[in-house]
């Protein structure tokens, strides 16, 4: 049996210090490690949320530094071609073209503040398009509650009976015949359009024009008045009643 060797005091102190350092180090690690994991998780979560917010929609490229993209309503065009049975709109200063107006009537609504809403009414319905007794309702819906300064009806006035705006030719069966126009009933057509849009008769004008394409531009009276140094004519503003 090996005789017992006395422990060196310096070694004892070193061992004691090492033991304390080891125990303290273990305790510190036990506290620091969960905190580090928590910080790491928080950092990853923040980064994931930031990446989710900054990620542009698929197929689009977001500008650098921009936030989430918000879809904007489609812009109203400056020009439009309105064929038979259609209703469209152009922005302020824009222009509408109605092609091949032979037996048709066009109805153009001038909006307060600029812009046009137009309808191309056809005697006979084209496939997939509006009938003559549906066109004014669609035009009315498109205008909504916006202010109206004028309604212009142009086209083959002599080919139209005012009743065609109320009951289309296609609606008549063999038991009754559609009414036949006996001339240019300008007043009757103006009343039918006025009633169909829910606007005063004073807002509607009717004009018989030769066959062919029609082009209607949004007037800019302020610019013309400034050019000719003339006073600006303030047109009355009409509104379609909200109750329909």
């Amino acid at each position: 049996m090996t005789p017992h060797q006395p422990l060196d005091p310096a070694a004892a102190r070193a061992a004691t210090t090492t033991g304390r350092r080891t125990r303290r180090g273990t305790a510190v690690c036990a506290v620091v490690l969960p905190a580090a994991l928590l910080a790491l998780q928080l950092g990853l979560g923040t980064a994931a949320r930031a990446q989710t917010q900054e990620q542009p929609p698929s197929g689009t490229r977001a500008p650098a530094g921009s936030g989430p993209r918000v879809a904007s309503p489609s812009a109203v065009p400056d020009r439009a071609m309105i064929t038979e049975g259609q209703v469209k709109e152009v922005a302020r200063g824009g222009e509408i073209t109605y092609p091949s107006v032979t037996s048709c009537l066009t109805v153009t609504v001038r909006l307060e503040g600029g812009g046009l809403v137009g309808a191309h009414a056809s005697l006979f319905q084209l496939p997939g398009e509006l009938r003559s007794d549906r066109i004014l309702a669609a035009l009315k819906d498109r205008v909504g509650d916006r202010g109206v300064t004028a309604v212009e009806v142009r086209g083959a006035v002599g080919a139209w009976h005012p009743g065609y705006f109320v009951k289309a030719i296609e609606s008549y069966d063999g038991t009754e015949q559609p009414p036949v126009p006996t001339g240019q009933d300008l007043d009757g057509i103006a009343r039918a359009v006025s009633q169909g849009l829910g606007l005063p008769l004073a807002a509607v004008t009717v004009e018989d024009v030769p066959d062919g394409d029609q082009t209607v531009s949004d007037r800019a009276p302020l610019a013309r008045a400034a050019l000719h140094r003339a006073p600006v004519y303030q047109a009355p503003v009409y509104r379609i009643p909200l109750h329909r």
Side-chain angles (χ1 to χ4, degrees):
M1 181 175 181
T2 304
H4 176 71
Q5 298 292 336
L7 182 62
D8 181 41
R13 285 194 301 274
T16 303
T17 304
T18 303
R20 285 199 303 270
R21 188 181 301 124
T22 302
R23 288 192 297 272
R24 186 166 59 249
T26 303
V28 170
C29 289
V31 174
V32 172
L33 184 59
L37 289 175
L38 179 59
L40 180 61
Q41 291 174 353
L42 291 175
L44 290 176
T46 303
R49 287 193 298 272
Q51 183 178 8
T52 301
Q53 293 175 355
E54 296 174 359
Q55 183 70 23
S58 176
T60 62
R61 179 179 299 175
S66 65
R69 294 172 59 90
V70 178
S72 59
S74 58
V76 178
D78 294 328
R79 295 175 179 272
M81 179 174 291
I82 306 180
T83 57
E84 297 178 40
Q86 294 184 345
V87 174
K88 294 182 181 180
E89 178 178 352
V90 296
R92 179 179 182 180
E95 183 177 275
I96 290 176
T97 299
Y98 300 99
S100 303
V101 181
T102 54
S103 61
C104 306
L105 288 179
T106 65
V107 184
T108 305
V109 175
R110 295 188 179 274
L111 300 175
E112 179 187 17
L116 305 171
V117 185
H120 192 151
S122 176
L123 275 179
F124 302 97
Q125 183 183 21
L126 294 183
E129 305 297 352
L130 294 169
R131 296 191 324 191
S132 61
D133 55 359
R134 298 288 184 268
I135 197 84
L136 292 180
L139 180 60
K140 179 179 179 180
D141 288 341
R142 187 64 179 261
V143 173
D145 61 351
R146 290 179 288 181
V148 173
T149 60
V151 180
E152 299 170 359
V153 184
R154 304 171 66 191
V157 175
W160 276 75
H161 189 281
Y164 296 162
F165 283 115
V166 179
K167 186 174 182 179
I169 294 177
E170 293 87 357
S171 300
Y172 292 89
D173 53 24
T175 61
E176 55 179 343
Q177 296 294 323
V180 178
T182 58
Q184 295 185 2
D185 190 354
L186 302 176
D187 293 337
I189 290 176
R191 284 193 298 270
V193 172
S194 169
Q195 294 171 3
L197 296 180
L199 291 171
L201 182 61
V204 183
T205 58
V206 182
E207 180 184 3
D208 183 72
V209 298
D211 295 349
D213 296 349
Q214 291 183 16
T215 301
V216 182
S217 299
D218 183 32
R219 291 190 295 263
L222 291 178
R224 289 206 314 275
L227 180 63
H228 298 289
R229 301 184 183 279
V232 178
Y233 169 69
Q234 182 65 42
V237 177
Y238 309 94
R239 294 188 184 276
I240 297 175
L242 293 180
H243 59 279
R244 303 178 180 180

